[in-house]
Amino acid sequence: MTVVGPFGLSVRDQALEAGVQAGLAAVESGLLDATKSEVPFITEAAQHLVHAGGKRFRPLLAMLTAQFGDADAPGVVPAAVVVELTHLATLYHDDVMDEADVRRGVDSANSRWGNSVAVLTGDFLFARASHILADLGPEAVRIQAEAFERLVTGQILETAGPRDGRDPIDHYLDVMRGKTGSLVAVACRFGAMMAGADESATDTLTQYGERLGVAFQLADDVLDIASDSHESGKTPGTDLLEGIPTLPVLHLRAQAAADGKPDDLELVELLDGDLSDGDRLAEALRRLRAHPALEQARRDTVRYAEEARATLAPLPACYAKSALEEMCDAVVHRAG
């Protein structure tokens, strides 16, 4: 048994291990090629987060889902590069919106070069992804376009907030399905589709990806509160500081509204206040880490991961399926 990928994923077959490792190495090379420009400064900015590392979660899923067809098919690696470039581009934009200082353990692009450069670098990455995508055919272009529309819609809905009368938690989970689940689903779909897997398997793997993507994002919500910067690669409480509603906070607000406990109401008031003061942010983190709302968010993470696992049931037993099932455990483990 060997270990590959961002989560210490156990692979029990040497051929699968070799194929996944080779695929990920090819993706890494493809990312570097795709982020080169004739302008050295653009190359530096575009490769900033590539060199910072990252989990390569989406390319790994593409490599694993490709095992249900011809994993060596020529479109698999370029499709994985497209998905990762798209993801990287959204990180540049997210950090501007969140005014984040750290990403993947290094200075964020906006803190290093300013918001304009960060936004334009994200646009540059979108352009490069589109260029690669054009060679993969019109169906791939359509799938990516639909997913990107869902991603942007999710981001807009998160910014706008729930409409009157809509449960904030239900709204938030819908946002996550679009903002994060859609692109993870495309990674799984592209891997299977480019490998020539049959339509039924491709659809199954797409559904798996969306559910796993939501679980992955919910685990990030937990990590924003429960982890330190070394573990998560970004400053703890970044979402709290920017007033971004995450699942633990939404559960806290729901409990405070339902029960009216003084401690809960006091914590909500703290979160609604100015958290730019380091002591106030530290106090908010300390209290949230001890609150049942954080554990409820962990349970929700587990639920989505288990739904992803159950989706795989129709697929034939194989080492790749076992690895995808283990990904569900790995995502849950991130959330503690």
Side-chain angles (χ1 to χ4, degrees):
M1 182 174 69
T2 54
V3 170
V4 299
F7 305 113
L9 187 67
S10 298
V11 176
R12 296 168 176 82
D13 179 71
Q14 288 185 347
L16 175 59
E17 178 202 357
V20 170
Q21 295 280 28
L24 290 174
V27 168
E28 208 64 27
S29 177
L31 288 172
L32 291 174
D33 287 342
T35 49
K36 287 178 183 174
S37 168
E38 294 179 356
V39 180
F41 176 67
I42 295 177
T43 301
E44 181 185 4
Q47 292 187 348
H48 180 62
L49 291 184
V50 176
H51 288 311
K55 304 173 188 66
R56 304 295 187 253
F57 175 56
R58 294 154 189 81
L60 175 59
L61 287 171
M63 296 303 112
L64 289 172
T65 56
Q67 303 298 319
F68 292 87
D70 176 10
D72 296 322
V76 173
V77 168
V81 172
V82 165
V83 175
E84 188 67 5
L85 282 174
T86 304
H87 170 60
L88 287 171
T90 66
L91 297 185
Y92 281 83
H93 288 180
D94 282 351
D95 285 345
V96 171
M97 290 187 290
D98 298 346
E99 299 180 6
D101 294 326
V102 177
R103 169 69 70 174
R104 295 181 172 177
V106 300
D107 291 343
S108 62
N110 50 294
S111 67
R112 184 166 181 175
W113 293 296
N115 286 347
S116 294
V117 169
V119 170
L120 291 169
T121 302
D123 293 344
F124 176 80
L125 295 181
F126 285 133
R128 287 296 176 88
S130 298
H131 188 274
I132 298 169
L133 192 64
D135 293 331
L136 298 177
E139 178 67 4
V141 173
R142 183 186 64 78
I143 290 167
Q144 172 78 351
E146 290 176 351
F148 193 56
E149 179 182 347
R150 289 188 63 204
L151 190 158
V152 173
T153 299
Q155 183 66 67
I156 292 171
L157 289 175
E158 180 180 65
T159 302
R163 65 179 184 273
D164 289 345
R166 180 81 196 279
D167 180 87
I169 293 175
D170 289 344
H171 170 83
Y172 183 72
L173 293 174
D174 277 348
V175 166
M176 292 303 104
R177 281 187 278 270
K179 182 181 173 183
T180 302
S182 61
L183 194 58
V184 178
V186 166
C188 293
R189 184 170 185 175
F190 274 171
M193 186 177 101
M194 294 299 165
D198 65 61
E199 186 175 349
S200 176
T202 300
D203 288 345
T204 293
L205 291 164
T206 303
Q207 294 171 37
Y208 162 85
E210 180 153 329
R211 290 164 174 78
L212 188 71
V214 174
F216 187 85
Q217 182 58 55
L218 298 185
D220 266 3
D221 284 2
V222 172
L223 284 171
D224 185 63
I225 293 167
S227 72
D228 58 30
S229 59
H230 175 75
E231 182 180 357
S232 65
K234 66 178 186 178
T235 305
T238 296
D239 293 335
L240 295 181
L241 187 59
E242 297 306 318
I244 297 171
T246 59
L247 195 59
V249 173
L250 291 172
H251 279 306
L252 165 68
R253 293 184 185 279
Q255 290 179 31
D259 301 334
K261 294 180 179 178
D263 285 351
D264 290 353
L265 294 172
E266 185 180 292
L267 180 52
V268 168
E269 184 179 354
L270 176 63
L271 294 175
D272 287 340
D274 182 9
L275 294 178
S276 61
D277 179 271
D279 290 339
R280 287 176 61 86
L281 180 60
E283 175 68 7
L285 285 169
R286 183 189 66 78
R287 294 179 63 173
L288 275 171
R289 286 166 180 166
H291 197 280
L294 185 62
E295 185 56 37
Q296 180 61 55
R298 286 194 174 100
R299 289 196 294 270
D300 290 334
T301 304
V302 171
R303 174 166 58 86
Y304 272 92
E306 288 304 315
E307 287 179 4
R309 185 198 306 276
T311 303
L312 296 171
L315 296 176
C318 61
Y319 288 117
K321 179 180 179 180
S322 297
L324 291 172
E325 289 172 337
E326 187 168 324
M327 286 291 287
C328 300
D329 296 328
V331 166
V332 168
H333 177 72
R334 295 176 70 235

